[in-house]
Amino acid sequence: MTEVGVRQLEAGDLECLAALERCQARPWSRCQLEAALNDEHGCVLGAEVAGELVGHAVVARLSFEAELQAMLVAPAMRRRGLAAALLGAVLKQCRRWGSERLLLEVRVGNEAAIHLYRRAGFGEDGRRRGYYPPLDEVADASREDAILMSRRL
Ligand SMILES: CC(C)(COP(=O)(O)OP(=O)(O)OC[C@H]1O[C@@H](n2cnc3c(N)ncnc32)[C@H](O)[C@@H]1OP(=O)(O)O)[C@@H](O)C(=O)NCCC(=O)NCCS
C-alpha cells in the first residue's frame, strides 16, 4: 500500500482541492468546496502522498448521524488503498462526534465505490429512482438511480 497521510483540510487548501475535483466529470464548484471547508457542522479530510493532495472526503455532521457527501481519489492514484484510508479516518471522525450511523448515496453504476463501501461494512437501505443526472451529456442518456447505504458506527 502507498504511504499516505490523512489530515483535516482547511480554508488554505481550497486551490489544491479545487484542482483535484476537476479530475471528475461533475466537479463540485469552488463555492461548494469553500463552504464545505468552512462548515462547522462537518469536515473535509484530505489524503496526501509525498505532500501532494491526491484524495478527499467530505462528511457532514447531522443530529444523530453523519453523511458522507463526497469521496474522490485522483485517477492515477487509484487501487492503492487511499479511499480505504480516507474512509477509515471518516469513521474515526464520526465516532468522535458521537454519530450513530454513517449514511451515503452512490450511483447504481458506480461499481468501484459500491465495492469500496460494501468492503467497509456498509449495507444497502434502499434506492431513489432517477436521482442523479446522466454523467454523459448525450441527448438520450437517462437519469441514474441512487443506492442509499449506511453502516453503524
Ligand atoms: C471510488 C474511489 C474513491 C475508490 O478509490 P481508491 O483509492 O481506488 O480505492 P481503494 O484503493 O482504497 O480500494 C479499496 C477497495 O474498494 C474496492 N474498489 C476500489 N476500486 C475498485 C474498482 N475499480 N473495482 C472494484 N472494486 C474497487 C476494492 O474492494 C478495494 O479493495 P482491493 O483493492 O483490496 O480490492 C475512486 O475510484 C474514485 O475516486 N472514483 C471517482 C469518484 C467516486 O466515484 N466517488 C464515490 C462517490 S459515492
Side-chain angles (χ1 to χ4, degrees), residues 24 70-74 77-85 104-107 110-113 115-117 119 132:
Q24 65 175 338
M71 164 79 78
L72 175 69
V73 171
M77 299 300 289
R78 290 179 188 168
R79 297 312 293 263
R80 299 174 194 218
L82 296 178
L104 61 87
E105 286 150 11
V106 57
R107 283 179 184 268
N110 191 346
E111 286 183 19
H115 273 104
L116 166 74
Y117 299 136
R119 196 163 183 237
Y132 291 109

Side-chain angles (χ1 to χ4, degrees), residues 4-150:
V4 55
V6 177
R7 68 174 173 92
Q8 182 164 344
L9 301 184
E10 296 161 1
D13 295 303
L14 179 60
E15 293 308 324
C16 297
L17 190 57
L20 176 59
E21 264 295 313
R22 284 196 290 273
C23 77
Q24 65 175 338
R26 290 181 168 272
W28 282 33
S29 67
R30 268 180 75 88
C31 201
Q32 287 173 305
L33 294 171
E34 194 168 21
L37 287 168
N38 291 314
D39 184 3
E40 59 189 53
H41 301 293
C43 73
V44 184
L45 297 173
E48 293 175 322
V49 171
E52 191 188 340
L53 185 69
V54 292
H56 72 268
V58 180
V59 57
R61 182 181 185 179
L62 310 176
S63 300
F64 299 97
E65 295 156 333
E67 185 185 17
L68 183 63
Q69 299 184 327
M71 164 79 78
L72 175 69
V73 171
M77 299 300 289
R78 290 179 188 168
R79 297 312 293 263
R80 299 174 194 218
L82 296 178
L86 272 168
L87 204 46
V90 166
L91 292 172
K92 260 192 200 162
Q93 176 60 65
C94 295
R95 289 191 187 106
R96 275 199 292 270
W97 285 336
S99 308
E100 293 168 6
R101 293 191 81 75
L102 178 59
L103 319 175
L104 61 87
E105 286 150 11
V106 57
R107 283 179 184 268
V108 76
N110 191 346
E111 286 183 19
I114 294 168
H115 273 104
L116 166 74
Y117 299 136
R118 284 202 189 290
R119 196 163 183 237
F122 286 79
E124 181 172 335
D125 298 325
R127 295 191 179 211
R128 280 206 184 104
R129 298 269 162 239
Y131 183 70
Y132 291 109
L135 267 182
D136 298 321
E137 300 296 339
V138 286
D140 61 349
S142 54
R143 294 179 69 89
E144 209 176 342
D145 293 350
I147 301 181
L148 311 181
M149 302 183 89
S150 70

